[in-house]
Amino acid sequence: MKTRFLAYYREDIEGELRSFKNGNNTSVIHWLNMIKKIDFSDFGRVDYVVRALGSNETHCSSRTPLDLMGELLAQKLGAKYVRDILTKKRTQQLKFAGGAHNRKAILNKAYNCDLSRLSKNSTFLIIDDVCTTGTTFEEMQRALLKASNGKAKVIAFSLVKTLWNKDYTYSKKQFNDNFYKKLIAS
C-alpha cells in the first residue's frame, strides 16, 4: 500500500499536531493550508476518502479535524469523502501500545466496513493524523479489501510519521525544521 506523510512526529511538529488533534483553529488551518500545497498526482484516481477512527470511537459520530482534512483531500482529488463506511468493534488505546506486534494484537480485526452503497471496484484514500507503525492503515485496508472482495485499491496518507530515535537523522531533523517553518507561516 502506498503511504505518504508530510513530516516526522518530533519536536515542534509534535506540538503542532497535538494542537491539530485538539481542534486548535490556528493549527488546523496551518495543516490544511499545507495540504492545499501538495501535489497528489502520484496517487492517481481516488474515488473515496475515509478517515481512521480515534481511539475512543467505534464509528464517526462527531466532526473532528480529520473530517476537515478528509473533506479537503476529497475536494482536491475530485473524490467523495465518506465518513460512515468504517466502524470498529471496540475502542482501544494505542498511545502506549509499543511496537507493531502489540498494535497488531490490539487492532486485530477491529475494523468493519460497509460498502453496500459504494462501488467495490474503487480506490480509497485512507487518512489518519499519525502513522506510528502502519498497523491502523493495515487494519483499515484489511476491512476495505474484505468488504470489496479484494477489488478495492487502497492508498494511505497521514500528516506525520513517528520515527524511533535511532532513525531520526540529522537530515530528517533539518527536513522537519524547514517543514515547521513553512507550517507556521501558512
Side-chain angles (χ1 to χ4, degrees), residues 5-96:
F5 59 92
L6 298 181
Y8 300 103
Y9 190 52
R10 302 294 293 229
E11 298 143 350
D12 295 330
I13 300 291
E14 182 178 350
E16 278 299 306
L17 187 75
R18 286 180 192 218
S19 291
F20 172 86
K21 289 174 86 143
N22 291 330
N24 175 288
N25 284 338
T26 302
S27 291
V28 170
I29 290 168
H30 285 169
W31 285 102
L32 294 179
N33 283 338
M34 291 304 289
I35 290 170
K36 287 177 184 176
K37 298 175 185 177
I38 298 171
D39 175 15
F40 286 99
S41 59
D42 62 319
F43 276 3
R45 186 192 94 235
V46 173
D47 300 298
Y48 302 105
V49 177
V50 63
R51 76 168 172 90
L53 299 172
S55 60
N56 295 321
E57 291 181 303
T58 56
H59 62 283
C60 280
S61 55
S62 60
R63 278 180 58 82
T64 69
L66 270 181
D67 289 306
L68 298 173
M69 182 173 131
E71 291 165 359
L72 174 63
L73 284 164
Q75 178 185 11
K76 187 172 174 76
L77 296 166
K80 181 177 181 185
Y81 179 59
V82 289
R83 63 190 305 267
D84 59 350
I85 63 168
L86 290 175
T87 57
K88 284 192 309 192
K89 295 177 186 174
R90 61 191 173 276
T91 60
Q92 77 279 334
Q93 279 294 333
L94 292 175
K95 188 173 185 177
F96 302 108

Side-chain angles (χ1 to χ4, degrees), residues 1-5 39-46 77 123-128 131 134 137-138 141 145 152-158 161:
M1 165 178 31
K2 181 187 290 191
T3 304
R4 202 155 157 208
F5 59 92
D39 175 15
F40 286 99
S41 59
D42 62 319
F43 276 3
R45 186 192 94 235
V46 173
L77 296 166
T123 300
F124 293 84
L125 173 62
I126 54 179
I127 62 169
D128 204 352
C131 177
F137 284 150
E138 290 170 6
Q141 179 184 33
L145 290 174
K153 179 181 174 194
V154 182
I155 51 183
F157 175 76
S158 67
K161 176 163 181 44

Side-chain angles (χ1 to χ4, degrees), residues 25 36-37 41 59 79 90 112 135-136 141-142 149-150 154 160 175-176 179-180 184-185:
N25 284 338
K36 287 177 184 176
K37 298 175 185 177
S41 59
H59 62 283
R90 61 191 173 276
N112 291 310
T135 303
T136 300
Q141 179 184 33
R142 183 206 58 79
N149 297 320
V154 182
V160 297
F175 172 85
N176 248 27
F179 180 85
Y180 178 73
I184 59 171

